[in-house]
Amino acid sequence: MSPFLLFSLVFCSQLMAAFNTPLPPPTYGDHVSILSIDGGGIRGIIPATVLIYLDNALKVKDATTSLADYFDVISGTSTGGLMTLMLTAPNSSHQPLFTPSEVVEFYKKNGPKIFPSHLLTSCPKYDGDFLEQKTVELLGETRLSDTLTNVVIPTFDEKKIQPVIFSNYKLKTESYLNAKLSDIGLGTSAAPTYLPNHVFQNDGVQFDLIDGGLAANNPAMAAVSEVIQEHNMENKILLLSLGTGIPKPKDKLGNFWDDLCQASWLKSHTAVFNEAMFSTDMTHYYLATIFPALSPADNYLRIEEYNMDPSMKDMDDASKKNMDNLEEVGKGLLTQKVKRMNVNTFEPFELDQTNDQALKGLAEKLYEERQLRLKKKSMEKGGRPFIETI
C-alpha cells in the first residue's frame, strides 16, 4: 500500500469518526445549550422556519451534524413538543427523524388532515385520529430514553390536576416517565377544545394528559430549571427560545364558537383551569431577570413575532394560504431586530442586531462549544485533537 493511500485512509477514518461523534456532556465544555419551542398548533411552522436558518448555518461548519448534535436539551410544548420529538427521535441510521425543513413540509402536508375543514358541531373540534395514527407510525416503540439528546416536554394531567414534565434528567429517579415518545407527543399536544385528552399507562402509572400549554406554553423556564437541577450552574446557559406568534392585543379573542366550546370545557374542568392558571410561571419575566445574573445577557435569544396579523391567529387554520403566510412570518423574523422583554413594562424593546445576525452568532458559539468538548474528551483518552493529528 502506497504511503499516500495509507494517509488517505487514516485521514478519512479520523474525519468520519470526528463527524459521527455525539456531543460530549457539558462537563467537557463551558456552556449548557438549550433550544425551546413554544406551543401554538399549526403556527409551529414559524419556529420551524427559523430553525431552518440555524440548521443551515451549522451545516456550513459541519454538513454531517444536526441540531441534536449541538443542543444539550431540546424542549417543547404542544406543537413544540411534537417538533422536539421529530428533531430528536432516532431513525434507523441513528439520525434525527426530521430536519427543520422536513418539519415545515410535514406541517404543510399533514396539517389539513390534523385540522380538517368541516362544520364545527362537537367539542373537541377534532377527533385526533389522524394525528394519533401518524404519531404512532413515526415514533413507533421509541421511548424517552432513546432520544438523541435530552428533551424536556411539559404536559398536564387533568385527573391528578398537576403538571407532568417528561425529561431525560428525571429518568434517573422516575422510571415511570420513560414512556413511548408517541404517548408523550399526543399528551402534550392534546389542546382542550381542539383535540381529545390522551390516556395511557406506563410502568404501572396511569396518565390522563392534556396540552402542556396548561403547565408551560413557553417551556423555556422548565428546561432551564431541569438544567440547573442537573448541573448546579457549573456551566453558563446558552438558550434559544422560539415563539409561534402573538396577535395584536385587540385581536386575541377567539370567535363565537371557540368561546362556546371553551366555556363548555371550563365548566367541567374548573379545578384544572384554576390550577394551571395560577401555577403558570411568568416565563418571560423570569428568564429576562435571571440571565444577567446567571449568564451573560446575550446568551439568551428569544425570537418571536409580537405583532402577528390577526388573520393568522388561529392555531388550527391549516389552509394552504395560511400555512404559506406562517412560513413567510418565520422568514420575515430573520430580518427583524432582536427584541428583549422589559421586565418593568412587559413590553419588548429592540436591540441593535437582527435575528439572522444573532443566529449566526449563536451558531458560532454552538460550534465552538462542540469543538471544545470533542477536544477535551479526546485529550482525556490520551489522544490528540483531530485538527492537530492532521
Side-chain angles (χ1 to χ4, degrees):
M1 182 180 293
S2 69
F4 176 77
L5 181 58
L6 178 61
F7 172 81
S8 298
L9 290 174
V10 171
F11 176 87
C12 290
S13 65
Q14 291 199 32
L15 183 66
M16 294 308 296
F19 284 165
N20 293 330
T21 303
L23 181 66
T27 51
Y28 292 94
D30 294 332
H31 297 86
V32 181
S33 50
I34 302 172
L35 166 61
S36 175
I37 310 168
D38 287 11
I42 200 66
R43 301 204 314 262
I45 290 174
I46 296 174
T49 303
V50 173
L51 284 177
I52 293 174
Y53 186 89
L54 176 62
D55 189 49
N56 289 339
L58 290 168
K59 280 183 166 54
V60 168
K61 301 177 179 299
D62 185 343
T64 68
T65 55
S66 67
L67 293 176
D69 294 313
Y70 292 96
F71 286 101
D72 295 295
V73 179
I74 300 182
S75 181
T77 294
S78 194
T79 192
L82 287 173
M83 200 182 308
T84 293
L85 299 179
M86 296 165 78
L87 296 171
T88 61
N91 61 20
S92 58
S93 301
H94 208 64
Q95 296 296 314
L97 281 177
F98 288 79
T99 64
S101 60
E102 290 169 339
V103 170
V104 173
E105 291 309 308
F106 176 88
Y107 275 96
K108 288 190 160 188
K109 177 181 179 181
N110 297 289
K113 300 174 185 176
I114 297 172
F115 302 117
S117 177
H118 64 280
L119 293 176
L120 306 179
T121 58
S122 63
C123 283
K125 288 185 181 182
Y126 310 102
D127 58 27
D129 289 347
F130 178 82
L131 179 60
E132 180 172 1
Q133 172 192 336
K134 201 67 181 177
T135 303
V136 172
E137 173 190 323
L138 288 172
L139 299 173
E141 298 295 313
T142 310
R143 293 185 176 270
L144 181 59
S145 58
D146 299 321
T147 54
L148 296 172
T149 191
N150 298 299
V151 304
V152 175
I153 299 180
T155 65
F156 199 92
D157 193 306
E158 68 171 355
K159 295 299 183 186
K160 298 174 183 175
I161 315 180
Q162 64 186 29
V164 179
I165 310 295
F166 289 93
S167 163
N168 297 74
Y169 294 130
K170 294 185 183 298
L171 295 183
K172 299 174 184 177
T173 57
E174 313 295 337
S175 60
Y176 68 93
L177 292 176
N178 193 26
K180 292 180 183 180
L181 297 186
S182 57
D183 285 323
I184 297 172
L186 290 169
T188 192
S189 60
T193 78
Y194 290 94
L195 292 165
N197 58 319
H198 184 62
V199 180
F200 67 97
Q201 188 176 90
N202 187 62
D203 199 20
V205 176
Q206 182 82 6
F207 295 91
D208 191 335
L209 302 181
I210 53 178
D211 195 337
L214 288 173
N217 194 60
N218 177 342
M221 198 64 214
V224 169
S225 178
E226 288 290 299
V227 164
I228 291 175
Q229 292 177 59
E230 178 70 16
H231 298 288
N232 298 314
M233 293 316 301
E234 296 172 357
N235 303 71
K236 295 173 182 175
I237 295 175
L238 194 60
L239 170 63
L240 171 61
S241 175
L242 302 178
T244 57
I246 299 175
K248 300 174 184 178
K250 65 179 180 179
D251 298 311
K252 288 185 178 180
L253 295 178
N255 62 36
F256 180 68
W257 175 260
D258 288 340
D259 293 342
L260 287 178
C261 200
Q262 290 165 7
S264 174
W265 182 84
L266 289 175
K267 182 178 179 181
S268 58
H269 294 78
T270 304
V272 175
F273 176 77
N274 286 340
E275 177 64 21
M277 182 177 64
F278 291 117
S279 66
T280 297
D281 291 336
M282 295 183 295
T283 305
H284 296 294
Y285 178 83
Y286 291 134
L287 288 174
T289 53
I290 69 169
F291 263 83
L294 301 180
S295 296
D298 59 1
N299 280 1
Y300 169 40
L301 174 60
R302 172 72 172 174
I303 299 181
E304 173 71 288
E305 173 53 69
Y306 290 97
N307 196 32
M308 191 169 66
D309 189 300
S311 67
M312 291 181 275
K313 71 179 186 299
D314 292 336
M315 60 168 279
D316 60 338
D317 182 357
S319 64
K320 183 181 185 304
K321 178 181 178 182
N322 189 59
M323 291 190 293
D324 288 344
N325 286 340
L326 291 170
E327 188 175 9
E328 290 304 312
V329 169
K331 293 177 181 178
L333 277 170
L334 298 172
T335 60
Q336 288 186 21
K337 292 293 184 74
V338 175
K339 294 183 176 66
R340 284 272 166 78
M341 180 67 71
N342 183 315
V343 297
N344 295 314
T345 65
F346 289 94
E347 293 290 336
F349 62 93
E350 292 185 347
L351 301 185
D352 290 335
Q353 63 178 336
T354 59
N355 284 318
D356 64 340
Q357 291 172 330
L359 285 171
K360 286 179 181 176
L362 175 63
E364 189 66 37
K365 288 182 181 180
L366 291 170
Y367 180 75
E368 290 176 355
E369 176 71 16
R370 176 175 168 80
Q371 295 306 110
L372 173 63
R373 295 189 196 182
L374 291 173
K375 178 178 179 180
K376 285 188 176 181
K377 189 170 184 179
S378 174
M379 296 297 287
E380 180 184 74
K381 291 183 176 180
R384 287 192 294 165
F386 171 69
I387 191 66
E388 292 182 10
T389 304
I390 297 175

